[in-house]
């Protein structure tokens, strides 16, 4: 009996208690892990069910995206690029006629050839229509607008120039300014002034900005808007004093005051 009461027996109970506690913790941990896996299994099962039920729709959407991508790349390679090259080739003769016209050689007849075509090649009108959506077709709108402006067809000039879009800071401003010129020649000074201001403010640069500020100022002065005219003239004097438009700006400022 004395041996039964020795100290060595108590640690065995403590050890047993610790092992039980650790076993409980392991069971709890395993239970939480099992719960997590159970949740994941349930989520996966729901996803699988969704995919199974909507398989045709999902395949259809993925297929449609793939077809659109392939179609776009195919269009760019086999349709858009060749169309652009073809338009540029067609426009070469029209551009030559346009350049000769701007140099002052039989201008009216050459502008008409540039518009309507010659030597078996399209003119700007046909190119703008047949190759709309290409860079050449867009540029044909600008050429056609300027050609119409120089042959006194102001309504047509406004129509074609309004269709022209460009990221080029100078060409974009020139197109807007040309619309202003067409309105001015068509005795529509308010519309002319509006477009001159747009041209001047479109992209600030030393070439087009003072040019259209001067036209805006003169048009505003003719309309009796001296305050606006003074603002445009002063802008030239303060910010573009080296430009040709600044040569007689003091006189114009005096008229606007």
């Amino acid at each position: 009996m004395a041996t039964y009461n020795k100290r060595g027996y108590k640690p065995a109970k403590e050890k047993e208690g610790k092992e039980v506690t650790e076993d409980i913790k392991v069971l709890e941990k395993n239970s939480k892990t099992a719960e997590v896996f159970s949740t994941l299994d349930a989520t996966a099962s729901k996803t699988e069910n969704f995919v199974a039920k909507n398989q045709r729709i999902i395949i259809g959407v993925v297929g449609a995206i793939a077809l659109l991508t392939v179609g776009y790349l195919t269009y760019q390679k086999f349709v858009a690029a060749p169309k652009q090259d073809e338009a540029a080739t067609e426009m070469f003769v029209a551009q030559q006629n346009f350049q000769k016209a701007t140099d002052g050689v039989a201008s009216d007849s050459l502008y008409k050839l540039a518009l309507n075509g010659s030597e078996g090649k399209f003119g700007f009108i046909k190119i703008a229509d047949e190759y709309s959506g290409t860079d050449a077709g867009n540029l044909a709108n600008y050429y056609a607008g300027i050609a119409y402006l120089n042959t006194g067809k102001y309504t047509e000039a406004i129509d074609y120039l309004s269709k022209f879009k460009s990221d080029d800071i100078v060409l974009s401003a020139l197109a807007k300014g040309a619309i202003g010129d067409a309105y001015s020649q068509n005795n529509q000074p308010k519309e002319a002034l509006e477009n001159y201001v747009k041209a001047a403010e479109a992209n600030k640069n030393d070439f087009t900005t003072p040019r259209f500020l001067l036209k805006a100022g003169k048009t505003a002065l003719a309309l009796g808007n001296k305050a606006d005219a003074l603002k445009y003239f002063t802008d030239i004097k303060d910010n573009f004093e080296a430009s040709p438009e600044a040569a007689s700006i003091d006189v114009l400022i005096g008229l606007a005051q």
Side-chain angles (χ1 to χ4, degrees), residues 57-234:
I57 296 173
I58 293 170
I59 291 173
V61 171
V62 173
I65 293 171
L67 283 173
L68 285 172
T69 303
V70 172
Y72 173 77
L73 294 174
T74 302
Y75 175 82
Q76 289 297 317
K77 183 175 181 179
F78 296 106
V79 179
K83 195 174 183 180
Q84 168 64 24
D85 293 340
E86 185 181 328
T89 301
E90 284 287 346
M91 196 161 63
F92 180 71
V93 174
Q95 285 176 312
Q96 284 188 319
N97 287 326
F98 182 91
Q99 186 59 53
K100 290 176 184 177
T102 56
D103 291 340
V105 181
S107 295
D108 284 355
S109 61
L110 284 169
Y111 277 130
K112 288 177 182 178
L113 288 176
L115 285 165
N116 300 311
S118 64
E119 299 178 32
K121 296 295 183 182
F122 290 161
F124 295 130
I125 297 172
K126 192 75 171 178
I127 294 168
D129 180 47
E130 292 286 329
Y131 299 98
S132 61
T134 67
D135 291 340
N138 179 50
L139 189 59
N141 284 314
Y142 176 80
Y143 278 120
I146 299 299
Y148 273 126
L149 177 63
N150 284 286
T151 53
K153 301 293 181 68
Y154 305 122
T155 301
E156 290 86 346
I158 293 166
D159 181 44
Y160 277 93
L161 288 166
S162 297
K163 294 175 185 176
F164 174 71
K165 308 296 178 187
S166 177
D167 293 329
D168 184 276
I169 60 172
V170 173
L171 207 55
S172 178
L174 287 174
K176 289 182 176 65
I179 293 174
D181 289 340
Y183 275 122
S184 180
Q185 292 296 326
N186 211 33
N187 295 316
Q188 294 176 267
K190 290 182 180 180
E191 290 81 359
L193 176 59
E194 181 181 343
N195 281 277
Y196 287 145
V197 172
K198 286 181 181 179
E201 294 178 348
N203 293 285
K204 297 287 186 179
N205 63 83
D206 293 335
F207 173 59
T208 63
T209 303
R211 177 179 179 176
F212 294 118
L213 280 173
L214 184 63
K215 290 191 175 189
K218 288 181 177 180
T219 305
L221 197 61
L223 286 168
N225 300 333
K226 286 190 172 185
D228 287 340
L230 181 61
K231 179 177 66 175
Y232 302 135
F233 294 147
T234 302

Side-chain angles (χ1 to χ4, degrees), residues 28-48:
E28 288 178 348
K29 183 177 180 182
N30 289 340
S31 176
K32 290 179 181 178
T33 303
E35 184 181 344
V36 170
F37 277 110
S38 178
T39 302
L40 291 173
D41 287 341
T43 303
S45 179
K46 289 179 182 178
T47 303
E48 289 170 1

